[in-house]
Amino acid sequence: MSNHPDSSVSFDDIYLFVLIVRHKGISSAAQFAGLQRSKVSRRLQELEKALGHQLLIRTTRAIELTQQGKWLYEQASNPVNTLVDASRLMREHHLTPKGRLKVAIPPALGMTEIFSQLIEQYMKEYTEVKLEIEHHVQSLDLRRENVDLQILPSYIEPLHDDYIQQRLIQIPYSMVASSEYLALNGCPDNVAQLNDFHLLASRYNKSLLPQGLDYQLFSDDLNLLQRLAISSKA
């Protein structure tokens, strides 16, 4: 999945992209073409923007082709296909959402009703999209894992600063207890007294509480935590 591509594609930039792959690096390609490295790098970024896809994964030691980059290189290197056909096909492929969308989410989110309803609505609206949802707690390298989108709690930072980030929803946290439990055990006056009570927590609200608290149950199953809190059996 990708953003909507721009309408213009420079075939000179596609040629430079092919050189980068063949020479296994931007610096080597720039030297071969007699251009400054910064100019080749900028034109590669313009090509990616025009096509609506990231083509290369840049590292300090080498380059890696993304799935879309491999496809474009094969098309541009094949004498049967012209560069015009290759760029046109790539642009038209994403005029409407279609294909595979791989999403990584926290396990707890997958158990919520709001997420289930969101996925149900999305599948009805975009019937040509094939969803693949994985559960991950930690931040992923989206390029190498070939993941399109990852949803993370705010206290976990993405691995790379150049990832596009958006705040989806802000969920307030509060500590709750059943009236029966409080009637039997009383109410804590301060945070230090929490160790005298049976605490239920997930990894998300646990991060907001002081370190060293003793938990009766620690789970990512929010439905289980809710049932136990309501039943006052923990």
Side-chain angles (χ1 to χ4, degrees), residues 170-209:
Q170 186 169 356
I171 302 176
Y173 287 103
S174 59
M175 300 195 70
V176 298
S178 68
S179 55
E180 292 86 352
Y181 183 84
L182 294 178
L184 289 173
N185 300 277
C187 298
D189 295 324
N190 53 65
V191 175
Q193 293 182 1
L194 289 178
N195 270 325
D196 297 330
F197 295 82
H198 289 174
L199 299 180
L200 313 175
S202 72
R203 74 177 69 250
Y204 309 106
N205 47 38
K206 180 183 177 182
S207 65
L208 303 175
L209 295 173

Side-chain angles (χ1 to χ4, degrees), residues 93-110:
H93 183 67
H94 285 286
L95 290 179
T96 57
K98 62 176 64 175
R100 182 189 63 88
L101 176 62
K102 190 173 182 180
V103 182
I105 65 170
L109 179 60

Side-chain angles (χ1 to χ4, degrees), residues 2-233:
S2 65
N3 296 328
H4 195 289
D6 293 343
S7 58
S8 60
V9 174
S10 168
F11 300 124
D12 288 339
D13 291 348
I14 295 181
Y15 171 68
L16 285 178
F17 163 71
V18 172
L19 288 182
I20 292 171
V21 177
R22 287 178 178 173
H23 291 270
K24 300 180 180 180
I26 294 177
S27 298
S28 299
Q31 184 177 3
F32 177 85
L35 299 172
Q36 293 182 348
R37 186 190 187 283
S38 59
K39 184 174 183 179
V40 175
S41 179
R42 185 182 72 252
R43 288 174 63 174
L44 174 62
Q45 293 174 2
E46 291 173 354
L47 175 63
E48 291 176 324
K49 181 179 179 181
L51 293 175
H53 293 279
Q54 181 176 0
L55 302 174
L56 297 177
I57 300 173
R58 303 140 177 93
T59 66
T60 55
R61 297 183 178 179
I63 61 169
E64 291 182 35
L65 284 170
T66 64
Q67 188 175 19
Q68 293 80 12
K70 291 178 182 177
W71 183 90
L72 181 61
Y73 181 72
E74 291 172 359
Q75 298 298 317
S77 300
N78 190 337
V80 177
N81 297 307
T82 66
L83 294 181
V84 176
D85 291 334
S87 60
R88 176 182 56 80
L89 287 172
M90 180 170 280
R91 291 200 308 271
E92 291 179 353
H93 183 67
H94 285 286
L95 290 179
T96 57
K98 62 176 64 175
R100 182 189 63 88
L101 176 62
K102 190 173 182 180
V103 182
I105 65 170
L109 179 60
M111 301 175 185
T112 61
E113 184 177 355
I114 185 173
F115 183 76
S116 299
Q117 292 175 349
L118 177 64
I119 293 301
E120 182 179 356
Q121 179 181 350
Y122 185 91
M123 293 182 67
K124 288 181 179 178
E125 186 169 351
Y126 302 107
T127 56
E128 295 189 56
V129 176
K130 309 300 181 184
L131 277 174
E132 184 176 339
I133 300 175
E134 295 183 351
H135 290 178
H136 291 276
V137 176
Q138 301 300 328
S139 179
L140 299 176
D141 188 327
L142 303 184
R143 302 182 183 101
R144 287 184 171 81
E145 297 292 336
N146 201 22
V147 173
D148 300 294
L149 171 69
Q150 182 174 24
I151 300 176
L152 290 170
S154 58
Y155 63 87
I156 296 182
E157 295 291 334
L159 287 184
H160 300 287
D161 293 336
D162 61 340
Y163 287 165
I164 298 174
Q165 302 176 46
Q166 291 184 336
R167 182 180 294 274
L168 295 180
I169 188 173
Q170 186 169 356
I171 302 176
Y173 287 103
S174 59
M175 300 195 70
V176 298
S178 68
S179 55
E180 292 86 352
Y181 183 84
L182 294 178
L184 289 173
N185 300 277
C187 298
D189 295 324
N190 53 65
V191 175
Q193 293 182 1
L194 289 178
N195 270 325
D196 297 330
F197 295 82
H198 289 174
L199 299 180
L200 313 175
S202 72
R203 74 177 69 250
Y204 309 106
N205 47 38
K206 180 183 177 182
S207 65
L208 303 175
L209 295 173
Q211 301 253 343
L213 289 177
D214 190 19
Y215 293 92
Q216 182 75 6
L217 175 65
F218 176 76
S219 173
D220 283 340
D221 189 335
L222 302 184
N223 292 323
L224 173 62
L225 295 173
Q226 182 184 44
R227 287 197 303 271
L228 289 176
I230 292 174
S231 68
S232 71
K233 294 180 180 179

